[in-house]
Amino acid sequence: MDNFFDIIFLDEAFEFLSALDRKHYEKIIYNIRKSQTERDSELFKKLKDEIWEFRTLYQGLQYRLLAFWDKTDSENSLVVSTHGFIKKRSDVPEKEIQKAKQLRKNYFEDKEKLKKKRR
């Protein structure tokens, strides 16, 4: 089955996942892989602006990895996970969305700088 998108993890997302208990980490990765092959808003959902969230509920904890789309390469859609956190209330905190937006901005600025260096 084809994936809807490929995924990469920025350093903060990778560090968040690496710090988790192995079973929790594996459940989150399982859900991300599942969201690559089926559309399910319980797993992957748009929040606002350009920010999306991977959602995992495991052993009573609500894990969130925020992400955005990078469609600058016409061959494959890429989702970039910015960072993760454990959600404690019903809404995603605005500071987490703002953090994801800033990481998105930095990502595209760095990508543009790299592109100019290669010319």
Side-chain angles (χ1 to χ4, degrees):
M1 189 180 316
D2 287 340
N3 288 347
F4 295 127
F5 57 84
D6 292 327
I7 184 164
I8 62 170
F9 298 94
L10 297 182
D11 289 343
E12 286 190 44
F14 183 74
E15 288 166 11
F16 172 76
L17 290 170
S18 298
L20 297 175
D21 177 76
R22 185 169 178 243
K23 288 191 183 274
H24 294 245
Y25 165 86
E26 288 173 352
K27 179 64 175 178
I28 294 168
I29 295 300
Y30 172 82
N31 281 349
I32 290 172
R33 297 281 180 241
K34 192 173 176 185
S35 71
Q36 287 180 289
T37 59
E38 59 186 66
R39 298 189 194 284
D40 182 349
S41 64
E42 291 299 313
L43 298 175
F44 189 53
K45 174 182 164 184
K46 185 171 186 178
L47 291 174
K48 70 184 204 179
D49 299 326
E50 301 298 320
I51 306 302
W52 291 64
E53 69 176 340
F54 288 105
R55 304 159 51 106
T56 298
L57 175 61
Y58 186 66
Q59 293 186 347
L61 296 172
Q62 295 185 54
Y63 292 100
R64 297 296 187 262
L65 283 170
L66 298 191
F68 60 87
W69 291 85
D70 177 355
K71 296 181 181 179
T72 56
D73 181 355
S74 60
E75 290 185 25
N76 57 335
S77 291
L78 181 65
V79 171
V80 180
S81 178
T82 59
H83 70 289
F85 59 96
I86 298 173
K87 198 167 98 162
K88 295 182 168 95
R89 53 182 225 249
S90 60
D91 295 335
V92 173
E94 185 61 30
K95 71 176 186 145
E96 299 295 349
I97 294 171
Q98 292 306 317
K99 181 177 182 176
K101 286 171 129 178
Q102 185 61 51
L103 289 167
R104 178 182 183 274
K105 181 178 179 259
N106 296 349
Y107 170 87
F108 283 114
E109 285 174 355
D110 291 348
K111 190 172 185 175
E112 189 60 33
K113 286 177 192 171
L114 206 63
K115 192 172 154 183
K116 286 180 181 177
K117 276 186 180 178
R118 291 183 181 158
R119 290 183 195 164

